[in-house]
Amino acid sequence: MPMPPSDSRRPAPQAAARATEQRLVGLNACRAAFARRPQDLRKLWLTATRQRELRDMLAWCVRQRIGYRIVEPAELEKLSGSAHHEGVCAAFRKPAAPSLDALLAALPAGPALLLWLEGVGNPHNLGAVLRSAAHFGAAGVLVPADEGASLSPAVLRVAEGGAEAVPVLAIADRARALTMLRAAGFVLAASTPHRAQSLYAAALPQRLALALGAEGGGLPEAFLAQAELRLRIPGSGAVESLNVSAAAAVLAADWFRRHVPAATD
């Protein structure tokens, strides 16, 4: 009996599996993902020196019959694509990111912080922003879909587990997203050194969508025109401005100090 013709449009099983996976590198990133969603762990690679620290993950792999391997650091560097693997790499099922509609509907009443990034594609910057966003309790990070920012292994490693606490939402329609944010009570504040109020003198609303742009270019003028607030971070003047991830941390910290009671503990 002749074999049916193969469908060249159908992805190979391994390619299909990779499309649904994310590769995590680094101790804190792997442990944070395992703590929140152990059921999503698909494979684990680690060096012998990490066996004691990761014994809970190894025990889970044994119980759930999930593949794991003890490898040499050089092999782990090849598997992870990073020299900064910290002795562990894990494949997890990709979590589904919520839509903006769902995220806003799920927010409790009261203070809420969102970060909106324009042109911030550098993995170190994006990862550092996610780490700060998690530390200061941001509800989400919004990234325009047309910029193609991805949660690469490098981003997830630098985020140190922050990507598990803060969802990253791809925004396809900026105008619609801004309309939705305002309907949910958010005020759009743009971080810019030009024609802006001092962060420390400005009134920060409880519900804040904080927009930050890429190094050098900053936020586009068309986007700045949409902002109800323009904020600058005062400094010595020795440099023009902060790195975008540092600026995100300073701005988020000041919002957190003002609106989250635990911030004064």
Side-chain angles (χ1 to χ4, degrees), residues 206-253:
Q206 281 195 338
R207 293 203 154 204
L208 185 68
L210 179 61
L212 300 104
E215 299 278 336
L219 290 165
E221 278 298 327
F223 190 89
L224 284 169
Q226 299 289 322
E228 288 88 0
L229 287 175
R230 290 188 179 207
L231 299 173
R232 61 180 177 83
I233 301 171
S236 67
V239 293
E240 182 182 9
S241 62
L242 291 172
N243 169 277
V244 63
S245 60
V250 171
L251 290 157

Side-chain angles (χ1 to χ4, degrees), residues 127-197:
V129 168
L130 282 170
R131 184 176 182 178
S132 296
H135 185 76
F136 294 113
V141 172
L142 281 54
V143 180
D146 57 13
E147 292 180 357
S150 65
L151 294 180
S152 67
V155 170
L156 297 172
R157 178 184 62 80
V158 174
E160 296 280 357
E164 294 298 321
V166 181
V168 177
L169 285 69
I171 301 301
D173 186 332
R174 287 172 174 83
R176 179 175 180 271
L178 286 172
T179 298
M180 292 170 61
L181 290 174
R182 291 184 175 116
F186 282 86
V187 172
L188 180 65
S191 173
T192 175
H194 309 296
R195 304 190 306 279
Q197 288 180 273

Side-chain angles (χ1 to χ4, degrees), residues 46-56 58 68 70 87:
L46 67 159
T47 59
T49 57
R50 289 298 190 194
Q51 290 183 82
R52 178 178 292 274
E53 289 169 284
L54 298 173
R55 58 185 179 273
D56 55 343
L58 289 170
Y68 73 89
I70 309 298

Side-chain angles (χ1 to χ4, degrees), residues 28-97:
N28 288 339
C30 291
R31 289 196 63 83
F34 179 70
R36 284 181 175 262
R37 46 191 182 99
Q39 73 282 356
D40 286 345
L41 179 62
R42 288 183 166 177
K43 196 161 185 179
L44 177 66
W45 301 268
L46 67 159
T47 59
T49 57
R50 289 298 190 194
Q51 290 183 82
R52 178 178 292 274
E53 289 169 284
L54 298 173
R55 58 185 179 273
D56 55 343
M57 292 182 72
L58 289 170
W60 175 267
C61 288
V62 171
R63 291 196 302 272
Q64 302 297 322
R65 298 184 179 181
I66 295 168
Y68 73 89
R69 285 175 55 203
I70 309 298
V71 297
E72 294 298 320
E75 184 178 357
L76 190 57
E77 183 173 340
K78 291 180 182 179
L79 285 165
S80 65
S82 172
H84 306 290
H85 51 68
E86 299 173 6
V88 59
C89 176
F92 278 81
R93 183 182 295 108
K94 284 182 181 177

